[in-house]
Amino acid sequence: MAKDDKKEKAPGFTLKTPKGTKDWEGKDMVLRSKIFDTITEVFKRHGGVTIDTPVFELREILAGKYGEDSKLIYDLKDQGGEICSLRYDLTVPFARFLAMNPTIQNIKRYHIAKVYRRDQPAMTKGRMREFYQCDFDIAGVYENMIPDAEALAIAVEGLTAVGIDDFTIKVNHRKILDGIFTVCGVPEADVRKISSAVDKLDKLPWEEVKREMTDDKGLDADVADKIGEYVKLRGSTELLVKLRADEALMANESAKSGVSDMELLATYLEAFGVLSKISFDMSLARGLDYYTGIIYECVTSASAPPLVSAASTENGEKRKSTKKSANEDDDVSEFVGVGSIAAGGRYDELVGMFSQSKKKAIMPCVGISFGVERIFSLIKAKEDMAKIRGSHTQVYVMAFGGGKEWTGFLPERLSVASSLWRAGISAEYLYKSKPKVRQQFDAAEKVGAPVAVILGQDEYGLGKVKVKLLGQGDASDDGTDVSLDELAEHVKSVLAKLN
Amino acid sequence: MAKDDKKEKAPGFTLKTPKGTKDWEGKDMVLRSKIFDTITEVFKRHGGVTIDTPVFELREILAGKYGEDSKLIYDLKDQGGEICSLRYDLTVPFARFLAMNPTIQNIKRYHIAKVYRRDQPAMTKGRMREFYQCDFDIAGVYENMIPDAEALAIAVEGLTAVGIDDFTIKVNHRKILDGIFTVCGVPEADVRKISSAVDKLDKLPWEEVKREMTDDKGLDADVADKIGEYVKLRGSTELLVKLRADEALMANESAKSGVSDMELLATYLEAFGVLSKISFDMSLARGLDYYTGIIYECVTSASAPPLVSAASTENGEKRKSTKKSANEDDDVSEFVGVGSIAAGGRYDELVGMFSQSKKKAIMPCVGISFGVERIFSLIKAKEDMAKIRGSHTQVYVMAFGGGKEWTGFLPERLSVASSLWRAGISAEYLYKSKPKVRQQFDAAEKVGAPVAVILGQDEYGLGKVKVKLLGQGDASDDGTDVSLDELAEHVKSVLAKLN
């Protein structure tokens, strides 16, 4: 049967992972796991607990949550039964979870898991169709801006912990943005679509965004120009002073309330010692529909979009590297415009959207999501990958001997290895009944084991093995004879000394 | 916009996770994570490295690998582009990975991730449509039976490490089974389908399986009866002696070679000290097509199928609990027939099935897969869930004060909390500007924080806070005054003493 299958199938298919997905392995995998572990530690430090939701949700749960991006949702095939889609982010499933569990009145939850977007992976390098998100969200009715400030503190702490220092967090407020649009004269019905044009300012020059507002979305050119003046504004607390002094803007209740929030936020950010990392930035819009308050994006110099030449822009091509024609180094292109490395915001109405009673559930939420795979690219460029060990093996169990009587000590090696395992020590040996000495040292070196336990033809009969440090070059010791009874304890003390 | 969405959608949908999936949260989540961590440690101890493959694969990669179970594969909707399916296990993606990376000539890889099966979750309690697998596989050309024995040693070590002791590992060999079928007179073309009938012996009585072989699959009744004699056989090494003495069986090359393998395996299992856990069992068949050698399943008393009353069997109903009519306790029903808690086998031809050159890649593999969610059910029944803490919070930062001058010390609490975070200590505080003393103690108790850091109205101005142990009942101390400069170090030493 298996053979028939082979013959039928071998010519017909392409051996690859689906478009926009990849296998993670080797040192990349070790480094990525390290990043996950580091960020998880930060989450736990802030009292976070984790939940795990299914990879797919009922399609109607995801409907109407992502604005223009909804077209990127992966659907499952209708094979009878429910209609489902792969999750697009971890936020909507979290809101669905909260709506289903009304007894949970507050929670700080973190979730590190894969999400799925049918994006064009070729268009935006480093953007995959399957990728990890690393989210921390604070849900509950709390005093204004305290959880928001902590979410930003977590962003700073998380990025710093993984080794990124040269970042800025752009912060804006949906209420200020909405106020700006109203004050500039955008009809209320057009606010969301104009907002989604502003959202592209991190990828496109203002002229291009203005063209979209006017030509594509029918906005008056002078209204667009007024918006253009506001979205240029960025800075630290002096910007908040400037907005406070803008009488036209302060006459708008939404904008006024947003500025008050930002002022309070700034006080708390200062108490957390992270205000210097923040840039209040009126050009930040965030594409997703569900945000209702503070929004933010963490960027580094590597987050900048690739240079767009005037010619290619006029041709309507977006995000094209000017290096395109040059002999591009894959590693370099990975770093061209990785986009934001963490982002989030407040979404006070999302849980209520799932509420089925007439009295909508009120569950204010604020969250931060780390783009761990983008962070991975940045860290990898700085890290000395040669120093990363793939496996954790501490001991290589070997047999030395020869001659006619030589059995290779295979069952004996298995027995010694299992005594080490039982003591919690990681150990390997060569899967060969009569291995050569050289082969065993090579294998030990390949996995980077720091210690060898050697079963010598004569000594083993006397209940003794040799424990030898590896990787010491010429200064290599001759090893220490240890009785089998004391082996595990002895190896533990040797390993403790090495660390 | 968001409000319109709400009004349109609220009546139309069901607030739930898709059928056969669930959210994991709270103490269940903590316990499951602990099981993952424990098994990961075992995997690393054996030199395992991890890889991460996509959740979906090209559909043709999964085609022809799962026999009758292929109908349970989840497909993605055709939204243009490639046709993909959710992974059914972690083994086929691993084989695809090896075929794509021919420079990897040997690897011990572990992978803990979710897999998807469109099974009837109501029929088999505890069997979900989305569930975790926890796999360790050894790939490479090695001497016969060494990796197989280590895979079984890992099974024993893993189950023991998570706290399960009363288990048995049934071991059989595809070559022996094939030999038995041939010797009994099964036509070669029917071997796989008769094997998949034998596979049901853990769920159905022999009479039912015989009926399937004869009525459904057209086997002669006397051939079925001969098979019936063989599949009754089980035992330790004395069974291997018995098979070796069976001249009819030993005349079959396949069976003879299988028995030789088992004899060698037994030697190595004894060296690993795990032979007492093994039952060589001729009734074990394993449903999947891709196995070529040793196959095994770990069972406990809780793995047994529910009692099937004679009446319900005659009605063709399968797996019905006799307790059905009683007032069933949900927690009890979870344990009725959880099935095998770990399983695996050797699959030497799977990687070759993906090979596209005429010379098929040879990559022998053997693996063990832990059914972690079934293991979870068993552990949960034994564990004192009240003792499991949801969060890891070590310190609760509080403010005590009152009167007109009282500010609530919010920015001060934020500042103290962030100094603890920077020192790697997990800390929380109440998201309230002027919290009451009682509220703060209640919140600290709820998260189970063992230490309070208290900002007193007078002391804080002098640069001092109080560090107090919590949860000490009446023996509670009055706390120690500590200067802010020394706070992190002091808290670390207090926590170290507590552990």
Side-chain angles (χ1 to χ4, degrees):
Chain A
M1 288 272 288
K3 276 186 185 165
D4 287 351
D5 275 359
K6 276 200 284 184
K7 274 176 200 153
E8 282 163 28
K9 288 187 187 308
F13 71 95
T14 321
L15 188 61
K16 64 188 278 294
T17 61
K19 186 176 175 184
T21 70
K22 60 173 279 190
D23 297 321
W24 284 83
E25 54 130 353
K27 294 185 174 185
D28 280 2
M29 184 72 195
V30 174
L31 181 59
R32 198 184 67 172
S33 302
K34 207 176 116 191
I35 293 171
F36 286 172
D37 290 347
T38 304
I39 293 180
T40 300
E41 277 310 307
V42 172
F43 290 164
K44 287 184 177 174
R45 226 180 274 160
H46 287 259
V49 297
T50 190
I51 70 166
D52 174 26
T53 64
V55 158
F56 50 84
E57 296 276 345
L58 296 181
R59 192 174 303 169
E60 52 208 9
I61 297 286
L62 305 189
K65 309 297 185 304
Y66 300 108
E68 288 184 7
D69 289 341
S70 292
K71 63 181 184 295
L72 302 181
I73 294 174
Y74 272 100
D75 293 328
L76 293 189
K77 188 176 166 185
D78 181 1
Q79 292 172 289
E82 298 160 339
I83 305 296
C84 299
S85 300
L86 298 187
R87 63 183 167 214
Y88 181 87
D89 63 12
L90 303 174
T91 311
V92 169
F94 175 54
R96 190 266 310 144
F97 167 81
L98 288 174
M100 272 176 67
N101 295 278
T103 56
I104 298 175
Q105 281 299 304
N106 54 67
I107 186 170
K108 298 178 189 175
R109 91 87 177 74
Y110 67 91
H111 193 184
I112 299 182
K114 289 172 172 183
V115 300
Y116 299 87
R117 301 184 182 181
R118 292 180 53 256
D119 221 329
Q120 276 309 324
M123 269 177 62
T124 53
K125 279 183 180 169
R127 182 175 284 189
M128 301 291 282
R129 290 181 159 199
E130 172 183 69
F131 59 98
Y132 265 94
Q133 280 192 340
C134 214
D135 285 17
F136 189 99
D137 291 79
I138 303 169
V141 177
Y142 293 119
E143 270 189 38
N144 199 21
M145 292 296 122
I146 309 179
D148 310 63
E150 184 157 343
L152 285 163
I154 290 171
V156 173
E157 210 175 312
L159 293 175
T160 308
V162 298
I164 297 179
D165 292 310
D166 62 331
F167 63 89
T168 298
I169 308 185
K170 300 182 191 176
V171 178
N172 201 356
H173 197 304
R174 272 279 163 94
K175 286 185 178 172
I176 300 180
L177 261 187
D178 288 355
I180 287 172
F181 293 140
T182 306
V183 167
C184 293
V186 177
E188 208 188 316
D190 293 346
V191 164
R192 199 49 66 231
K193 72 183 183 190
I194 296 306
S195 182
S196 89
V198 169
D199 184 45
K200 292 170 186 157
L201 275 174
D202 61 334
K203 309 183 193 88
L204 300 175
W206 165 250
E207 291 68 32
E208 189 70 14
V209 169
K210 182 184 169 186
R211 199 202 50 71
E212 178 176 332
M213 287 179 175
T214 52
D215 296 4
D216 302 353
K217 297 184 170 168
L219 197 68
D220 283 349
D222 56 335
V223 173
D225 286 337
K226 279 189 205 164
I227 295 172
E229 289 307 305
Y230 275 110
V231 298
K232 274 198 305 218
L233 301 177
R234 72 193 60 179
S236 189
T237 45
E238 81 285 356
L239 175 65
L240 303 182
V241 175
K242 186 171 178 174
L243 293 175
R244 177 61 73 188
D246 182 332
E247 285 179 23
L249 194 60
M250 286 308 101
N252 177 282
E253 276 308 315
S254 171
K256 191 176 164 188
S257 145
V259 170
S260 297
D261 280 356
M262 296 277 250
E263 288 164 348
L264 193 56
L265 180 74
T267 314
Y268 300 152
L269 293 174
E270 189 158 25
F272 280 137
V274 299
L275 187 59
S276 63
K277 286 295 189 186
I278 306 293
S279 168
F280 299 105
D281 187 326
M282 296 299 109
S283 75
L284 180 72
R286 307 276 296 130
L288 301 179
D289 273 2
Y290 52 64
Y291 290 117
T292 55
I294 294 285
I295 47 178
Y296 32 85
E297 267 185 25
C298 309
V299 293
T300 70
S301 50
S303 301
L307 293 174
V308 182
S309 72
S312 67
T313 308
E314 279 161 24
N315 293 333
E317 288 179 63
K318 301 165 186 177
R319 299 190 129 228
K320 197 169 181 178
S321 168
T322 50
K323 282 191 180 175
K324 194 91 181 185
S325 55
N327 184 7
E328 262 186 304
D329 179 332
D330 260 341
D331 277 325
V332 171
S333 65
E334 262 188 2
F335 297 95
V336 176
V338 294
S340 69
I341 51 174
R346 172 162 287 283
Y347 50 101
D348 285 349
E349 294 172 10
L350 189 57
V351 178
M353 284 171 78
F354 294 112
S355 181
Q356 295 185 305
S357 63
K358 280 196 183 153
K359 191 168 159 287
K360 294 290 173 196
I362 293 169
M363 182 53 83
C365 298
V366 64
I368 175 76
S369 177
F370 290 88
V372 267
E373 289 174 32
R374 292 173 181 187
I375 290 171
F376 167 84
S377 301
L378 298 175
I379 304 292
K380 188 180 173 184
K382 296 199 291 186
E383 193 87 16
D384 183 356
M385 295 298 278
K387 282 192 182 158
I388 294 180
R389 269 191 70 190
S391 88
H392 298 75
T393 304
Q394 296 163 310
V395 174
Y396 214 90
V397 179
M398 308 180 182
F400 286 8
K404 256 202 294 190
E405 303 292 299
W406 176 231
T407 63
F409 276 160
L410 177 59
E412 291 81 358
R413 279 181 284 142
L414 304 191
S415 169
V416 168
S418 64
S419 71
L420 295 171
W421 296 331
R422 269 191 288 273
I425 298 162
S426 62
E428 293 189 82
Y429 54 90
L430 213 58
Y431 290 163
K432 213 169 157 53
S433 55
K434 293 189 184 180
K436 294 197 173 67
V437 170
R438 189 71 260 154
Q439 284 177 320
Q440 297 178 88
F441 277 113
D442 288 349
E445 193 184 335
K446 198 178 160 198
V447 299
V451 173
V453 167
I454 299 164
L455 283 63
Q457 197 161 3
D458 300 326
E459 297 90 332
Y460 190 77
L462 305 170
K464 283 194 182 301
V465 292
K466 208 179 273 299
V467 176
K468 191 173 149 71
L469 289 181
L470 297 174
Q472 308 291 304
D474 288 339
S476 174
D477 67 335
D478 287 338
T480 312
D481 285 335
V482 179
S483 87
L484 279 171
D485 303 341
E486 293 157 8
L487 177 63
E489 283 314 307
H490 181 83
V491 168
K492 274 186 189 174
S493 71
V494 168
L495 289 170
K497 256 181 253 165
L498 283 178
N499 294 334
Chain B
M1 287 269 291
K3 277 188 184 163
D4 288 350
D5 274 1
K6 276 200 285 183
K7 274 177 199 151
E8 285 164 26
K9 284 182 192 311
F13 71 94
T14 321
L15 188 61
K16 64 189 278 294
T17 61
K19 186 176 175 184
T21 70
K22 60 173 279 192
D23 296 320
W24 284 83
E25 53 129 354
K27 294 185 173 186
D28 279 4
M29 184 71 197
V30 174
L31 181 59
R32 197 184 67 173
S33 302
K34 206 175 117 191
I35 294 172
F36 285 173
D37 290 347
T38 303
I39 294 181
T40 301
E41 277 310 307
V42 172
F43 289 165
K44 286 183 178 175
R45 224 179 275 159
H46 286 259
V49 297
T50 190
I51 70 167
D52 173 27
T53 64
V55 158
F56 50 84
E57 295 276 344
L58 295 180
R59 192 176 303 168
E60 52 207 10
I61 296 287
L62 305 189
K65 310 297 186 303
Y66 300 108
E68 289 184 7
D69 289 341
S70 292
K71 63 180 184 296
L72 303 181
I73 293 174
Y74 272 99
D75 292 328
L76 293 190
K77 187 176 166 186
D78 181 359
Q79 292 171 287
E82 299 160 340
I83 305 296
C84 299
S85 300
L86 298 186
R87 62 184 168 212
Y88 181 88
D89 63 12
L90 303 175
T91 311
V92 168
F94 175 54
R96 190 266 308 145
F97 166 82
L98 289 174
M100 271 176 68
N101 294 279
T103 55
I104 298 175
Q105 281 299 303
N106 55 67
I107 185 170
K108 299 178 188 174
R109 92 85 177 76
Y110 68 91
H111 193 184
I112 299 181
K114 289 172 171 181
V115 301
Y116 299 87
R117 300 184 182 181
R118 292 181 53 256
D119 221 330
Q120 276 310 321
M123 271 176 61
T124 53
K125 279 182 179 167
R127 182 174 284 189
M128 301 291 284
R129 289 182 159 199
E130 172 183 70
F131 59 98
Y132 266 93
Q133 281 192 338
C134 214
D135 285 17
F136 189 98
D137 292 79
I138 303 169
V141 177
Y142 294 119
E143 270 190 38
N144 199 21
M145 291 296 123
I146 309 179
D148 310 60
E150 184 158 343
L152 286 162
I154 290 171
V156 174
E157 210 175 312
L159 293 174
T160 308
V162 298
I164 297 178
D165 291 311
D166 61 332
F167 63 90
T168 298
I169 309 185
K170 301 182 191 176
V171 178
N172 202 356
H173 197 303
R174 272 278 162 93
K175 285 185 179 172
I176 300 180
L177 260 187
D178 288 354
I180 288 172
F181 294 140
T182 306
V183 167
C184 293
V186 177
E188 206 188 318
D190 294 346
V191 163
R192 200 49 67 229
K193 72 182 184 193
I194 295 307
S195 181
S196 88
V198 170
D199 184 46
K200 292 171 187 157
L201 274 174
D202 60 335
K203 308 183 193 88
L204 300 174
W206 164 251
E207 291 68 31
E208 189 69 14
V209 170
K210 180 182 170 185
R211 199 203 49 73
E212 178 176 333
M213 287 179 174
T214 52
D215 297 4
D216 302 352
K217 298 185 169 167
L219 198 68
D220 283 350
D222 58 334
V223 173
D225 286 337
K226 279 189 204 163
I227 294 172
E229 288 307 304
Y230 275 110
V231 297
K232 272 199 305 216
L233 302 176
R234 71 193 60 176
S236 189
T237 45
E238 81 284 356
L239 174 65
L240 303 181
V241 174
K242 186 170 179 175
L243 293 175
R244 176 62 72 188
D246 181 332
E247 286 179 22
L249 194 60
M250 286 306 103
N252 177 282
E253 277 309 313
S254 170
K256 191 176 167 190
S257 146
V259 170
S260 298
D261 280 354
M262 295 278 249
E263 289 163 348
L264 193 56
L265 180 72
T267 314
Y268 299 151
L269 293 174
E270 187 156 28
F272 280 137
V274 298
L275 188 59
S276 63
K277 286 294 188 186
I278 306 294
S279 167
F280 299 104
D281 186 325
M282 296 299 109
S283 74
L284 180 73
R286 307 276 295 130
L288 301 179
D289 273 3
Y290 52 64
Y291 290 117
T292 54
I294 294 286
I295 48 179
Y296 32 86
E297 266 185 26
C298 310
V299 293
T300 71
S301 50
S303 302
L307 292 174
V308 181
S309 73
S312 67
T313 308
E314 279 161 22
N315 293 335
E317 288 178 63
K318 300 167 185 177
R319 296 189 131 228
K320 197 171 182 179
S321 168
T322 50
K323 281 191 180 171
K324 194 89 181 186
S325 55
N327 183 8
E328 260 185 304
D329 179 334
D330 258 340
D331 277 325
V332 170
S333 66
E334 260 189 4
F335 297 95
V336 175
V338 294
S340 69
I341 50 173
R346 173 162 288 283
Y347 49 102
D348 286 348
E349 292 172 13
L350 189 56
V351 178
M353 284 170 78
F354 293 112
S355 181
Q356 297 185 304
S357 61
K358 279 193 182 157
K359 191 168 158 287
K360 293 291 173 198
I362 294 168
M363 181 55 81
C365 297
V366 64
I368 175 78
S369 177
F370 290 88
V372 268
E373 288 173 33
R374 293 172 180 188
I375 290 170
F376 167 84
S377 301
L378 298 175
I379 304 293
K380 187 180 173 184
K382 296 199 291 186
E383 192 88 14
D384 183 356
M385 294 299 277
K387 282 191 185 159
I388 293 180
R389 270 190 69 190
S391 88
H392 298 75
T393 303
Q394 296 164 311
V395 174
Y396 214 89
V397 179
M398 306 180 184
F400 286 9
K404 255 202 294 187
E405 304 291 300
W406 176 231
T407 63
F409 276 160
L410 177 59
E412 291 81 358
R413 279 181 283 142
L414 304 191
S415 169
V416 168
S418 64
S419 72
L420 294 171
W421 295 332
R422 268 189 289 274
I425 298 162
S426 61
E428 293 189 83
Y429 54 91
L430 214 56
Y431 291 163
K432 215 169 155 51
S433 55
K434 293 189 184 178
K436 295 198 173 67
V437 170
R438 188 74 261 151
Q439 284 178 320
Q440 297 177 89
F441 276 113
D442 288 350
E445 194 184 333
K446 198 178 161 198
V447 299
V451 173
V453 167
I454 299 164
L455 282 62
Q457 197 162 1
D458 301 326
E459 297 90 332
Y460 190 76
L462 306 170
K464 283 195 181 303
V465 293
K466 208 177 272 301
V467 176
K468 191 174 149 71
L469 289 181
L470 297 175
Q472 307 291 304
D474 289 339
S476 174
D477 68 333
D478 287 336
T480 312
D481 285 334
V482 179
S483 87
L484 279 171
D485 302 342
E486 292 156 9
L487 177 62
E489 282 314 306
H490 180 83
V491 168
K492 274 187 190 174
S493 72
V494 168
L495 290 170
K497 257 181 252 164
L498 283 178
N499 294 333

